[in-house]
Amino acid sequence: MDKQSSKLLPDGFAAFENQVAGHNLKDGRSPTGILKSADGFVLKPVTKHPQSETEIAFYENIFIKNEYACFRPFVPEFKGTTVLNILGLDITFLKLQDITKGYVKPCVMDVKIGSQTWDPNATESKRKTEDEKYQLSKKEFGFCIPGYQVYNLSSGSFNRMGKEQGRMLDKITLPLALKGFLNVNFHQSAFLIERFLQRLNAILDMWKTQKEVHIYSSSLLFAYDAHQLELFKTESSGVTPCWMNIMMIDFAHVVPACNTLDMNYISGLTNLIKLLQEIKSGK
Ligand SMILES: Nc1ncnc2c1ncn2[C@@H]1O[C@H](COP(=O)(O)OP(=O)(O)O)[C@@H](O)[C@H]1O
Ligand SMILES: [Mg+2]
């Protein structure tokens, strides 16, 4: 939804300018795309059934059930659902913490985890179409990058990569895209990568123990503020600053784990960590 169409939204709501992937208004797969509210949250429209209900139930479980408590530190705050009337239509939205809130030069990357992106209930044709998407990345790395935006600190301008480019990424070009997102030519990027690795390792530790659910086609949303990275001088404490974060998002495909580990997620995440470690050591 662009600025023009934002005028059609109820007062206090606008198009969310930091959406880098997922269903959007332009591809006709979402009635609105992601919106933002005046009180600083993002609104994700309910688009598909039963996938949207699965996502809502998962967020509710995380904040209610003890078995799901391990996910709490790694997902955006969930404020329930809200209904907006847009052009005469009642549309339900999930209300979520905005990971990029307050960022001046927001850098955001959506990394979809797992070489299998269909859930076990998917039809044969869904399995086939999913397997055809992001084939090279998923085969090589067990994850793919549907989109990102980065403020390039060398050129002083934003670069964006959408799903068309994302789908072409391979063994050679995916690491280059990752390096671009991380502003690797900037001297302080080492600090950023180090903190991202700490966060990813904490998420991996959780996955190595939880046997409640398996999650398909879910993403890790990387975010940092290039403005703060530019200003950043020395590492003053062990605390990770609020201008960088990684959160798990997109829970349309959550199934019971039957007391087994989710090796599809674990192996994709392990490979992502390995690649970041290689980038950190200058490979
Ligand atoms: N909590 C959030 N904070 C900031 N951006 C978000 C948040 N949730 C989603 N987004 C943005 O919207 C995009 C699509 O969200 P996602 O939940 O993956 O939707 P879809 O089900 O359409 O794939 C993400 O890639 C990200 O850019
Ligand atoms: Mg998504």
Side-chain angles (χ1 to χ4, degrees):
M1 185 165 274
D2 55 21
K3 280 216 172 74
Q4 197 64 28
S5 2
S6 268
K7 287 185 192 144
L8 306 171
L9 297 171
D11 278 355
F13 299 92
F16 179 56
E17 62 279 10
N18 296 330
Q19 176 174 356
V20 297
H23 302 80
N24 59 49
L25 189 69
K26 271 193 212 140
D27 66 16
R29 293 170 70 223
S30 168
T32 58
I34 306 271
L35 304 182
K36 66 177 176 190
S37 61
D39 56 353
F41 289 86
V42 298
L43 299 175
K44 175 176 174 173
V46 163
T47 48
K48 280 197 189 168
H49 308 278
Q51 290 88 337
S52 294
E53 286 74 14
T54 300
E55 180 158 38
I56 293 167
F58 186 59
Y59 272 116
E60 285 171 349
N61 283 335
I62 289 174
F63 293 100
I64 297 167
K65 292 188 179 169
N66 277 341
E67 312 89 271
Y68 290 70
C70 57
F71 288 103
R72 279 178 209 159
F74 306 118
V75 300
E77 196 185 339
F78 175 60
K79 291 289 203 183
T81 58
T82 186
V83 178
L84 295 185
N85 187 280
I86 298 169
L87 297 174
L89 271 182
D90 278 342
I91 302 174
T92 303
F93 292 83
L94 282 77
K95 190 172 180 182
L96 298 162
Q97 174 196 351
D98 174 6
I99 311 302
T100 65
K101 192 174 172 191
Y103 287 12
V104 178
K105 290 170 181 162
C107 304
V108 188
M109 175 171 68
D110 186 306
V111 183
K112 201 181 266 209
I113 305 295
S115 55
Q116 180 182 324
T117 49
W118 42 267
D119 68 61
N121 302 318
T123 59
E124 268 310 314
S125 83
K126 173 73 178 168
R127 291 176 191 212
K128 196 163 166 278
T129 48
E130 276 301 315
D131 283 343
E132 280 164 6
K133 292 182 199 163
Y134 304 93
Q135 242 181 52
L136 297 171
S137 309
K138 290 193 294 190
K139 192 163 161 258
E140 182 67 32
F141 301 104
F143 64 84
C144 60
I145 308 179
Y148 73 67
Q149 69 176 30
V150 60
Y151 182 83
N152 184 305
L153 286 166
S154 311
S155 67
S157 60
F158 275 96
N159 294 339
R160 293 190 170 78
M161 190 199 76
K163 59 172 179 272
E164 289 74 21
Q165 277 170 282
R167 282 184 186 176
M168 308 293 287
L169 294 177
D170 60 19
K171 191 179 174 177
I172 308 290
T173 51
L174 186 141
L176 296 178
L178 212 46
K179 286 181 185 175
F181 172 74
L182 295 164
N183 264 303
V184 283
N185 294 328
F186 188 67
H187 62 290
Q188 296 293 17
S189 67
F191 170 73
L192 181 69
I193 299 171
E194 178 60 40
R195 290 305 165 91
F196 276 158
L197 275 167
Q198 279 175 15
R199 179 77 173 162
L200 291 176
N201 277 308
I203 296 173
L204 181 60
D205 285 347
M206 182 274 289
W207 277 98
K208 282 183 173 167
T209 55
Q210 82 78 25
K211 294 180 180 175
E212 282 301 317
V213 288
H214 289 186
I215 308 183
Y216 298 91
S217 209
S218 173
S219 293
L220 289 170
L221 195 66
F222 284 63
Y224 71 95
D225 186 350
H227 176 66
Q228 296 293 342
L229 186 65
E230 204 166 21
L231 295 178
F232 183 73
K233 291 278 183 292
T234 46
E235 192 179 341
S236 49
S237 76
V239 180
T240 295
C242 60
W243 51 265
M244 59 174 79
N245 206 344
I246 302 176
M247 285 288 193
M248 293 174 54
I249 61 159
D250 202 352
F251 305 116
H253 304 274
V254 181
V255 298
C258 304
N259 210 28
T260 60
L261 291 172
D262 186 341
M263 291 316 297
N264 180 53
Y265 199 105
I266 289 174
S267 67
L269 179 50
T270 304
N271 289 344
L272 177 59
I273 290 172
K274 204 169 137 244
L275 189 54
L276 278 182
Q277 271 162 347
E278 286 172 10
I279 291 174
K280 188 181 148 218
S281 60
K283 277 189 211 150

